[in-house]
Amino acid sequence: MIKMNKLFLAAAVAFGCVNAYSAKIDSSVATVNGRPVLASEYDNYLQGVIEQYQAAAPQILQQPHAKDILGSEVLKELISKELLYQAAEEEKVQVKDSEVDAGINEIKTRFIVDELTGKEDPKGADKRFNEALKKQGLTLKRYKEKIKKDVAVRKLMETKLKENVTPVEEADAKALYANVEAVMKNNTKKIKALEKEDPMKLKEAQLIAAKLKQLTAEQVRIGHIFLAAPKDMSAEDVKKKEELANQIKKEIDNGLDFSSAVRKYTEEKNALASGGDMILIKGVAPKEIDAQAFTLAVGKVSKPIKSEVGFHIIKVKEKRAEKSISYEDISRDLAQYLAQQRVQLAMAQYIEQLYNKADVKITLTFESDEQPAESAAEVKTDAKKAETVATDTKKK
């Protein structure tokens, strides 16, 4: 699933989860050493996760028991978070007011863009931040208390990780690259030897190789106008959307700036901040869009393209040919990946130690608890892939 545990290494909680801190008094879904994990906290946190998937990978939510499985994972995250909060208290971790203020200010920067216009509006950031707090029934004082706890956890984990994480050496990164290179070049002999020696290392190399193939593949940057026309839309309404798409194309042909057309017509709100720009990797996008994006010349605008979800008008803005990659190109990335893996393992082990010593009672049940483990694992794996795609898109 989307990695909630990254929260514990950040300076402050993402404001997207602010609704999890509602002051509403209600029943609990679990208790950790007698402290409740509130149902409202769980519900709001899960809703935030679902909204992220709806935006980035809606197909995952269509799988059997997907929301139920994600709910189980969210509950585990909330229990882990409470365990860490309590551990920070026991260790008497001190947090300065300036650190809390820095966390609040970092979160406020996420309100610089006005969602209604898609434009930056720094002066209105405080107002939008306070409106979001008010909408969730929160006071600034209570929110600062939560930020203080999260900063305390971050400081606690920094100490624990220094004690338990072994630094990555260049030899470690080179060994990983050798495994990845064997997979990318389909070196059967090395692949079989690695599978026999350590199947997990082979799987790791295969995942990284797949990602590298995407990053080095032919790519194109496009502007994108989207008009939704889902399968359950009536034929009459689909016809209206098609007519609107043709009208938009005609306006662009007659001189309407493409970015202006995006702001005026697109139904993809997330695209407003980027002007509708997105990166496509050859062979990944829907075939109808892929065919147009990689054949149109730079600067050209497509005719309306019909897909399973609606109509698209794209403008090709930039193209990048397929490229090769060497160890020197990705040595730093491989070292960072290994460091992250070691950090995650150390965190998981520390949380497991806390869990084993704690009195944790869970009152919430899930239908997915009754299904085969393979099915749940499949949803989690697909969710992990979605997270990777979302992260790569943001980096671009």
Side-chain angles (χ1 to χ4, degrees):
M1 62 176 295
I2 293 175
K3 277 286 181 182
M4 299 297 176
N5 55 17
K6 289 180 182 176
L7 158 71
F8 304 133
L9 295 177
V13 191
F15 197 90
C17 296
V18 67
N19 53 0
Y21 300 136
S22 171
K24 178 182 176 181
I25 297 175
D26 57 16
S27 61
S28 65
V29 291
T31 58
V32 181
N33 294 323
R35 292 189 187 179
V37 175
L38 297 180
S40 60
E41 183 179 14
Y42 167 81
D43 290 339
N44 289 321
Y45 209 147
L46 176 58
Q47 183 58 36
V49 173
I50 289 173
E51 287 174 0
Q52 291 181 63
Y53 280 116
Q54 287 172 336
Q59 71 279 5
I60 291 175
L61 298 177
Q62 304 304 315
Q63 297 184 30
H65 301 291
K67 293 182 181 180
D68 200 32
I69 293 168
L70 291 177
S72 178
E73 292 297 301
V74 164
L75 181 56
K76 291 176 184 176
E77 295 290 348
L78 290 175
I79 291 172
S80 296
K81 184 161 61 169
E82 181 59 38
L83 286 167
L84 290 168
Y85 284 161
Q86 293 182 26
E89 287 179 346
E90 287 184 18
E91 300 263 349
K92 294 182 169 52
V93 177
Q94 299 298 310
V95 177
K96 298 177 181 178
D97 290 342
S98 59
E99 292 174 307
V100 175
D101 291 339
I104 293 291
N105 289 335
E106 190 277 330
I107 290 167
K108 285 183 179 180
T109 62
R110 304 175 191 190
F111 289 83
I112 289 178
V113 175
D114 187 337
E115 290 187 357
L116 295 177
T117 65
K119 297 180 179 179
E120 289 192 1
D121 175 28
K123 292 183 178 179
D126 280 347
K127 180 180 178 182
R128 287 188 289 275
F129 172 81
N130 290 324
E131 286 175 348
L133 285 178
K134 184 177 180 180
K135 184 178 179 180
Q136 301 302 328
L138 292 168
T139 64
L140 182 59
K141 179 180 179 181
R142 179 168 174 77
Y143 192 57
K144 281 187 174 182
E145 290 172 355
K146 292 297 182 181
I147 293 296
K148 184 175 182 178
K149 291 173 70 176
D150 286 304
V151 174
V153 165
R154 187 260 302 170
K155 295 178 77 171
L156 170 72
M157 289 310 303
E158 285 179 350
T159 300
K160 297 299 179 182
L161 294 175
K162 284 180 182 179
E163 296 173 355
N164 298 296
V165 176
T166 305
V168 175
E169 303 290 342
E170 185 174 11
D172 300 325
K174 285 186 174 180
L176 176 58
Y177 178 77
N179 294 340
V180 173
E181 186 179 38
V183 173
M184 293 188 74
K185 293 184 176 181
N186 196 27
N187 187 323
T188 306
K189 184 177 179 180
K190 285 189 176 181
I191 290 173
K192 287 183 177 179
L194 184 58
E195 184 176 22
K196 184 177 180 180
E197 174 191 346
D198 192 334
M200 291 304 296
K201 283 189 177 181
L202 174 59
K203 185 175 182 180
E204 176 183 58
Q206 289 170 333
L207 289 171
I208 295 174
K211 185 175 180 180
L212 286 178
K213 285 181 180 179
Q214 284 193 340
L215 293 176
T216 57
E218 184 180 352
Q219 295 183 11
V220 60
R221 181 169 65 89
I222 65 167
H224 180 224
I225 298 171
F226 173 65
L227 301 177
K231 292 181 179 179
D232 58 355
M233 179 176 279
S234 68
E236 182 180 355
D237 286 339
V238 170
K239 184 65 176 177
K240 289 180 180 179
K241 285 293 179 77
E242 184 178 14
E243 291 172 353
L244 176 57
N246 289 325
Q247 175 194 322
I248 295 169
K249 177 60 166 66
K250 188 174 182 179
E251 289 181 23
I252 293 172
D253 290 343
N254 290 335
L256 176 63
D257 177 70
F258 193 87
S259 295
S260 299
V262 171
R263 290 192 294 271
K264 183 177 180 181
Y265 291 112
T266 192
E267 296 177 4
E268 176 52 67
K269 292 184 179 179
N270 294 332
L272 291 175
S274 64
D277 281 15
M278 61 191 300
I279 300 291
L280 296 183
I281 299 169
K282 191 169 186 179
V284 175
K287 61 181 181 180
E288 302 90 350
I289 299 175
D290 196 80
Q292 290 290 314
F294 289 92
T295 55
L296 283 172
V298 173
K300 295 297 183 179
V301 177
S302 73
K303 295 179 180 179
I305 304 166
K306 179 70 169 67
S307 74
E308 291 184 351
V309 294
F311 294 91
H312 314 259
I313 300 174
I314 64 173
K315 178 178 181 179
V316 177
K317 296 188 175 184
E318 182 182 359
K319 289 189 174 184
R320 195 195 77 181
E322 183 178 2
K323 64 178 184 179
S324 60
I325 196 163
S326 67
Y327 170 73
E328 287 72 23
D329 293 327
I330 60 171
S331 59
R332 181 177 297 181
D333 295 310
L334 291 176
Q336 289 178 344
Y337 165 80
L338 288 171
Q340 185 182 52
Q341 293 298 104
R342 293 179 185 185
V343 164
Q344 291 179 354
L345 177 60
M347 285 183 63
Q349 290 174 339
Y350 179 62
I351 291 172
E352 184 177 9
Q353 291 172 10
L354 295 177
Y355 195 100
N356 290 336
K357 294 188 295 184
D359 178 19
V360 178
K361 293 183 174 66
I362 298 175
T363 57
L364 191 62
T365 58
F366 300 95
E367 289 181 15
S368 58
D369 292 340
E370 304 299 325
Q371 68 173 337
E374 293 82 359
S375 179
E378 183 179 348
V379 173
K380 294 173 189 176
T381 299
D382 287 347
K384 175 70 175 177
K385 290 178 182 177
E387 177 199 353
T388 300
V389 172
T391 302
D392 289 342
T393 304
K394 288 179 182 177
K395 286 182 179 178
K396 294 178 187 296

